[in-house]
mmCIF file with all atom_site columns, all heavy atoms in Angstrom:
data_model
loop_
_atom_site.group_PDB
_atom_site.id
_atom_site.type_symbol
_atom_site.label_atom_id
_atom_site.label_alt_id
_atom_site.label_comp_id
_atom_site.label_asym_id
_atom_site.label_entity_id
_atom_site.label_seq_id
_atom_site.pdbx_PDB_ins_code
_atom_site.Cartn_x
_atom_site.Cartn_y
_atom_site.Cartn_z
_atom_site.occupancy
_atom_site.B_iso_or_equiv
_atom_site.pdbx_formal_charge
_atom_site.auth_seq_id
_atom_site.auth_comp_id
_atom_site.auth_asym_id
_atom_site.auth_atom_id
_atom_site.pdbx_PDB_model_num
ATOM 1  N N   . MET A 1 8   ? -10.581 32.451 -26.934 1.00 91.00 ? 166 MET A N   1
ATOM 2  C CA  . MET A 1 8   ? -9.561  31.460 -26.502 1.00 91.00 ? 166 MET A CA  1
ATOM 3  C C   . MET A 1 8   ? -10.228 30.111 -26.442 1.00 91.00 ? 166 MET A C   1
ATOM 4  O O   . MET A 1 8   ? -11.324 29.927 -25.875 1.00 91.00 ? 166 MET A O   1
ATOM 5  C CB  . MET A 1 8   ? -8.981  31.797 -25.162 1.00 91.00 ? 166 MET A CB  1
ATOM 6  C CG  . MET A 1 8   ? -7.935  30.857 -24.667 1.00 91.00 ? 166 MET A CG  1
ATOM 7  S SD  . MET A 1 8   ? -7.071  31.253 -23.168 1.00 91.00 ? 166 MET A SD  1
ATOM 8  C CE  . MET A 1 8   ? -8.329  31.492 -22.031 1.00 91.00 ? 166 MET A CE  1
ATOM 9  N N   . LEU A 1 41  ? -3.628  23.742 -26.333 1.00 82.00 ? 199 LEU A N   1
ATOM 10 C CA  . LEU A 1 41  ? -3.792  22.335 -26.265 1.00 82.00 ? 199 LEU A CA  1
ATOM 11 C C   . LEU A 1 41  ? -2.879  21.888 -25.078 1.00 82.00 ? 199 LEU A C   1
ATOM 12 O O   . LEU A 1 41  ? -1.690  22.299 -25.093 1.00 82.00 ? 199 LEU A O   1
ATOM 13 C CB  . LEU A 1 41  ? -3.409  21.664 -27.520 1.00 82.00 ? 199 LEU A CB  1
ATOM 14 C CG  . LEU A 1 41  ? -4.054  22.131 -28.799 1.00 82.00 ? 199 LEU A CG  1
ATOM 15 C CD1 . LEU A 1 41  ? -3.446  21.396 -30.028 1.00 82.00 ? 199 LEU A CD1 1
ATOM 16 C CD2 . LEU A 1 41  ? -5.540  21.967 -28.754 1.00 82.00 ? 199 LEU A CD2 1
ATOM 17 N N   . LEU A 1 102 ? -4.074  15.662 -12.516 1.00 81.00 ? 260 LEU A N   1
ATOM 18 C CA  . LEU A 1 102 ? -5.174  14.673 -12.676 1.00 81.00 ? 260 LEU A CA  1
ATOM 19 C C   . LEU A 1 102 ? -4.887  13.485 -11.798 1.00 81.00 ? 260 LEU A C   1
ATOM 20 O O   . LEU A 1 102 ? -5.882  12.963 -11.167 1.00 81.00 ? 260 LEU A O   1
ATOM 21 C CB  . LEU A 1 102 ? -5.208  14.291 -14.143 1.00 81.00 ? 260 LEU A CB  1
ATOM 22 C CG  . LEU A 1 102 ? -6.230  13.208 -14.423 1.00 81.00 ? 260 LEU A CG  1
ATOM 23 C CD1 . LEU A 1 102 ? -7.616  13.567 -14.120 1.00 81.00 ? 260 LEU A CD1 1
ATOM 24 C CD2 . LEU A 1 102 ? -6.066  12.629 -15.928 1.00 81.00 ? 260 LEU A CD2 1
ATOM 25 N N   . GLN A 1 120 ? -1.999  1.369  2.096   1.00 56.00 ? 278 GLN A N   1
ATOM 26 C CA  . GLN A 1 120 ? -1.443  -0.023 1.664   1.00 56.00 ? 278 GLN A CA  1
ATOM 27 C C   . GLN A 1 120 ? -1.517  -0.102 0.233   1.00 56.00 ? 278 GLN A C   1
ATOM 28 O O   . GLN A 1 120 ? -0.472  -0.559 -0.420  1.00 56.00 ? 278 GLN A O   1
ATOM 29 C CB  . GLN A 1 120 ? -2.200  -1.130 2.333   1.00 56.00 ? 278 GLN A CB  1
ATOM 30 C CG  . GLN A 1 120 ? -2.144  -1.099 3.818   1.00 56.00 ? 278 GLN A CG  1
ATOM 31 C CD  . GLN A 1 120 ? -3.217  -1.953 4.481   1.00 56.00 ? 278 GLN A CD  1
ATOM 32 O OE1 . GLN A 1 120 ? -4.176  -2.343 3.824   1.00 56.00 ? 278 GLN A OE1 1
ATOM 33 N NE2 . GLN A 1 120 ? -2.936  -2.380 5.735   1.00 56.00 ? 278 GLN A NE2 1
ATOM 34 N N   . ARG A 1 126 ? 3.948   1.985  -5.753  1.00 52.00 ? 284 ARG A N   1
ATOM 35 C CA  . ARG A 1 126 ? 5.009   3.010  -5.773  1.00 52.00 ? 284 ARG A CA  1
ATOM 36 C C   . ARG A 1 126 ? 5.984   2.650  -6.790  1.00 52.00 ? 284 ARG A C   1
ATOM 37 O O   . ARG A 1 126 ? 7.173   2.427  -6.594  1.00 52.00 ? 284 ARG A O   1
ATOM 38 C CB  . ARG A 1 126 ? 5.639   3.063  -4.399  1.00 52.00 ? 284 ARG A CB  1
ATOM 39 C CG  . ARG A 1 126 ? 6.529   4.315  -4.208  1.00 52.00 ? 284 ARG A CG  1
ATOM 40 C CD  . ARG A 1 126 ? 7.260   4.184  -2.913  1.00 52.00 ? 284 ARG A CD  1
ATOM 41 N NE  . ARG A 1 126 ? 6.388   4.379  -1.723  1.00 52.00 ? 284 ARG A NE  1
ATOM 42 C CZ  . ARG A 1 126 ? 6.824   4.936  -0.623  1.00 52.00 ? 284 ARG A CZ  1
ATOM 43 N NH1 . ARG A 1 126 ? 8.046   5.284  -0.455  1.00 52.00 ? 284 ARG A NH1 1
ATOM 44 N NH2 . ARG A 1 126 ? 6.050   5.140  0.387   1.00 52.00 ? 284 ARG A NH2 1
ATOM 45 N N   . ALA A 1 143 ? -13.861 -0.997 -9.621  1.00 78.00 ? 301 ALA A N   1
ATOM 46 C CA  . ALA A 1 143 ? -14.197 -2.285 -9.045  1.00 78.00 ? 301 ALA A CA  1
ATOM 47 C C   . ALA A 1 143 ? -15.273 -2.183 -7.965  1.00 78.00 ? 301 ALA A C   1
ATOM 48 O O   . ALA A 1 143 ? -16.101 -3.028 -7.764  1.00 78.00 ? 301 ALA A O   1
ATOM 49 C CB  . ALA A 1 143 ? -12.953 -2.958 -8.426  1.00 78.00 ? 301 ALA A CB  1
ATOM 50 N N   . ALA A 1 147 ? -21.451 -4.276 -11.139 1.00 80.00 ? 305 ALA A N   1
ATOM 51 C CA  . ALA A 1 147 ? -22.019 -4.377 -12.482 1.00 80.00 ? 305 ALA A CA  1
ATOM 52 C C   . ALA A 1 147 ? -22.097 -2.974 -13.188 1.00 80.00 ? 305 ALA A C   1
ATOM 53 O O   . ALA A 1 147 ? -22.013 -2.881 -14.348 1.00 80.00 ? 305 ALA A O   1
ATOM 54 C CB  . ALA A 1 147 ? -23.408 -5.028 -12.498 1.00 80.00 ? 305 ALA A CB  1
ATOM 55 N N   . THR A 1 160 ? -19.523 12.034 -24.460 1.00 68.00 ? 318 THR A N   1
ATOM 56 C CA  . THR A 1 160 ? -20.170 12.885 -23.430 1.00 68.00 ? 318 THR A CA  1
ATOM 57 C C   . THR A 1 160 ? -21.675 12.994 -23.546 1.00 68.00 ? 318 THR A C   1
ATOM 58 O O   . THR A 1 160 ? -22.315 13.442 -22.619 1.00 68.00 ? 318 THR A O   1
ATOM 59 C CB  . THR A 1 160 ? -19.547 14.286 -23.453 1.00 68.00 ? 318 THR A CB  1
ATOM 60 O OG1 . THR A 1 160 ? -19.715 14.829 -24.748 1.00 68.00 ? 318 THR A OG1 1
ATOM 61 C CG2 . THR A 1 160 ? -18.086 14.266 -23.093 1.00 68.00 ? 318 THR A CG2 1
#
Side-chain angles (χ1 to χ4, degrees):
M166 179 170 59
L199 309 174
L260 173 65
Q278 295 166 342
R284 193 188 286 210
T318 58

